[in-house]
Amino acid sequence: FRQQNYTNAEIQFRRIYQNTNWPVSELTYEAKMQEGRAAFARQGFNNAQELFTQILNAQPPYPGLVADAFFAYGDCLMMQASISTNAFARYEEASTAYRTITRNFPTNAVTPKAWGSLGNCLLQLAQQDPVFYTTEATNAYQQVLNHPLAIVQDRSQAEIGIALALKKRAESLPSLSDRTLLLEKALYHFHRVLYGNNLHAGEVAHPFWLKKAGLESAQTAETLQNWDAALGTYSRLRELLPQLAPDLDRRIARARAAKTGETRPAQ
């Protein structure tokens, strides 16, 4: 599995739980979980979903493993939604799986991740009703921020999720002042990640979420024509992620030109 030889990994994991000389135990289901994860990793989502379903149908007496199976099952549905002609139905199914975790396994380590993934589902489903952006989706992300087992990656994703939901809701509002208010709230959440205000003692920010928060924050600031905020964000990103310097220098030059009235970035 670590060598990314996923097909062979599936075979080896299958041999473990199909060995009739060994009694059925937690290891049996762990092996099936790993086979499913290997199938998922090679993008065999139907195969992975079937394996996770088998575990859930068996109702093994191992709560942590069952929670992991629900989470993996939801992830399969999310991936299938991205290529499905009936995406909303897939997102609905996935949201049910994640909600099951939050209800039945509230103290499990995977639960804050389930809340975050539920937020991602609801962010997609809110396309049918934009009000859900600032009700259902943001509420799910808020649960991550409140959960004592959420790690920095979980909380960073949730902060950015709240900000993206606010931006999406803003797009549907006719009033400029209302749109501006929500975009400024989105900036607040992006900045919490970018400037480390969401970190607990001893934690270090994750580079992926720093980059995501920074680029989204700068784009939002540009939409608001707040060029000082945009320039500050790009400068912060350049300091934290020097490997992005060439691209960020171009963005900084564009924002400076817009600030002086020479040009405006494309919306």
Side-chain angles (χ1 to χ4, degrees):
F1 187 93
R2 286 193 296 270
Q3 294 170 5
Q4 300 181 7
N5 185 351
Y6 299 122
T7 300
N8 194 30
E10 288 178 72
I11 294 171
Q12 305 308 320
F13 287 127
R14 193 178 309 130
R15 285 177 174 172
I16 296 173
Y17 69 79
Q18 287 184 342
N19 190 325
T20 57
N21 294 322
W22 296 343
V24 175
S25 67
E26 187 171 6
L27 179 63
T28 305
Y29 296 102
E30 287 177 353
K32 186 167 286 192
M33 274 294 303
Q34 284 299 100
E35 182 187 357
R37 288 175 175 136
F40 185 94
R42 67 166 174 80
Q43 300 185 357
F45 303 125
N46 288 334
N47 298 103
Q49 183 178 333
E50 174 59 27
L51 288 161
F52 300 139
T53 300
Q54 289 175 16
I55 294 172
L56 296 174
N57 288 341
Q59 299 182 352
Y62 311 110
L65 190 143
V66 173
D68 287 344
F70 270 114
F71 187 76
Y73 177 75
D75 284 353
C76 282
L77 293 167
M78 286 283 281
M79 294 303 298
Q80 289 171 329
S82 64
I83 57 175
S84 173
T85 56
N86 193 10
F88 286 118
R90 294 292 190 186
Y91 287 125
E92 287 281 10
E93 290 182 71
S95 68
T96 299
Y98 297 133
R99 286 185 197 276
T100 300
I101 298 171
T102 64
R103 287 195 306 266
N104 298 348
F105 310 95
T107 60
N108 190 278
V110 79
T111 302
K113 293 177 173 55
W115 277 116
S117 293
L118 176 59
N120 295 341
C121 281
L122 295 170
L123 204 60
Q124 298 298 323
L125 292 170
Q127 295 177 49
Q128 299 175 311
D129 184 352
V131 173
F132 279 20
Y133 286 124
T134 48
T135 55
E136 301 289 330
T138 53
N139 177 66
Y141 290 128
Q142 187 63 48
Q143 298 302 316
V144 182
L145 303 183
N146 296 339
H147 202 285
L149 297 180
I151 61 175
V152 63
Q153 290 94 321
D154 301 331
R155 297 195 309 278
S156 296
Q157 179 190 12
E159 291 273 11
I160 292 171
I162 291 172
L164 292 175
L166 292 169
K167 287 185 65 175
K168 286 292 185 181
R169 179 64 175 129
E171 291 173 3
S172 68
L173 297 177
S175 166
L176 175 60
S177 60
D178 289 342
R179 291 198 302 272
T180 298
L181 178 62
L182 288 188
L183 291 176
E184 288 175 346
K185 287 182 177 179
L187 271 181
Y188 167 79
H189 289 284
F190 286 137
H191 285 175
R192 278 183 54 78
V193 178
L194 181 62
Y195 293 98
N197 296 328
N198 68 327
L199 299 178
H200 293 174
E203 289 183 334
V204 177
H206 192 281
F208 174 85
W209 296 114
L210 277 178
K211 178 181 177 182
K212 177 74 172 174
L215 294 179
E216 289 285 353
S217 171
Q219 190 276 328
T220 305
E222 289 189 5
T223 299
L224 291 166
Q225 297 186 12
N226 186 340
W227 309 117
D228 288 333
L231 287 166
T233 296
Y234 288 136
S235 297
R236 171 70 172 171
L237 275 177
R238 200 180 189 284
E239 174 188 342
L240 295 173
L241 303 171
Q243 67 272 24
L244 300 180
D247 177 58
L248 292 172
D249 286 342
R250 287 190 291 271
R251 293 171 183 261
I252 289 171
R254 184 184 66 180
R256 282 176 176 162
K259 181 180 179 182
T260 59
E262 295 178 13
T263 185
R264 291 185 181 275
Q267 298 296 317

